[in-house]
Amino acid sequence: MSRHIIVLGGGPAALEAARAAARRGARVTLVTEGAVGGRAGWHSLLPSKVWLHLAEMRLALGEASHVGLGGKPGSPVAPRVVARIREVARAWNGAREDALRALGVEVVEGVGAFVSSSEVAVRRPDGGEEVRLTADAVIVATGSVPIFPPAMRPDGRRVIAPRFASHLEALPRSVVVVGGGATGSEFAFLFNALGLDVTWVVDEQGVLPMFHPRAGQMLAQALSARGVRLVAGVRALAAEPSPDGVTVTLADGRRLEAEMAFIAVGRRPDTDRLALEAAGVAVREDGAPAVDAFCRTNVPHIFAAGDVTGKPMIANRAMAQGYVAGTLAAGGSVPPVREEAVVFAIYTEPQVAQVGRLDGENVQMLTVPFTESLKGAVVPGGDDGVFALAYSDADGRIVGGLAVGPHAADVLTPVAQAIAAGMTVADMALLFPAHPTLSEVAFAAARQAWAP
């Protein structure tokens, strides 16, 4: 008899977990609060990437004359973008749901909470009768929710947050972006690229505090050069809407005026409604279930994956955790999540990406320009691109990488693979990818590190 697995959630981690378990013969029930796709697929990640693609295209049109073409950037038509978001979301999330059903996954809409370590009660969205489910294993993948200080809660009109990207029917002329993390950085870039007057408020942690300091500095300089007014080293305390706009008050007493404020100051695990205590699951101070490298909680048959496990909250890490949790819950065998091989990416222009370790004992970092590859000399922005390869000076093993420039996330893919495979700079130096491609810069750096 096949094992019954309950997956709580509908986003990237939950979908990956459900697929992995079903492919290994388990009977899977996916309990999702809304439609399959979760917050990421309907309200945050996917909508923001549609907007960011528009911003990239507008910048590319603006650079057309630089590469020998005529043309000028067009003005964004917000309702058309929103319609495009809905079209992409329906197609993408619909395909995910179809794939689950083809694997035999049962999808139950509602909010799940533990009754015991093996029983989950599902509260139906229509107020219908509560459903009780029992399982051999449960995977918690309920994601995260935004954090809003009391004086900066969105009203959906003058004060907005990432979830409003899916129905932003009109763009303001000016905006104050609060937050220097991944989302704040992406939206500061996005609004500027779309022609808005942008003021960017970043607290004492700086721009992209989860990255190597050089990355945040380069992004801040690039956006400042494009006209973004960076207000750094000070915390925003309040965003007060009015009929004509919004006033953002800073800790030093300054007051910033704009038509709109965008708040992105952090997220926390969405665990409040799970009743984890009923299952005996231990949690950390941030409310996240404590898990090991195999996504197991202290209760052997309960797993957790994705944003609900805490920082870093990025989709590819969530998917990696979901895959491991789903495989193990179904009785399969799989190596642990390789956190050191997870690429962190920020989809600004320039793009910023990082993987592994960049410093520490016996770690050397060699930096080369993107123009080490011919493609880097051809693509707009390549002249300013920077790539860094980190490796052990003891045995030459590759331990990390940083890229700031066009398609930086793609540039780091071979570095992530090298880390996972335990490759050395000598191993990587002997490989020559397609020419010309931006990925060549990683291998060029390895050759310099091997034989400087």
Side-chain angles (χ1 to χ4, degrees), residues 390-440:
Y391 58 96
S392 167
D393 61 7
D395 58 12
R397 288 192 183 277
I398 294 166
V399 297
L402 172 71
V404 182
H407 303 286
D410 296 325
V411 170
L412 282 191
T413 296
V415 181
Q417 293 172 321
I419 293 170
M423 293 174 65
T424 66
V425 290
D427 297 326
M428 203 166 179
L430 298 174
L431 299 176
F432 287 78
H435 174 78
T437 58
L438 288 173
S439 65
E440 288 180 282

Side-chain angles (χ1 to χ4, degrees), residues 353-378:
Q354 181 173 304
V355 64
R357 292 188 298 123
L358 298 177
D359 50 30
E361 188 176 356
N362 297 323
V363 173
Q364 297 289 326
M365 188 164 70
L366 183 139
T367 302
V368 299
F370 267 39
T371 49
E372 281 292 316
S373 69
L374 172 59
K375 192 74 170 182
V378 172

Side-chain angles (χ1 to χ4, degrees), residues 14 61 122 146 208 212 225 233 246 249 260-261 296 336 348 356 375 383 437:
L61 286 171
V122 181
L208 299 181
H212 188 278
V246 64
T249 304
M260 185 179 286
R296 295 176 298 212
T348 51
K375 192 74 170 182
D383 289 348
T437 58

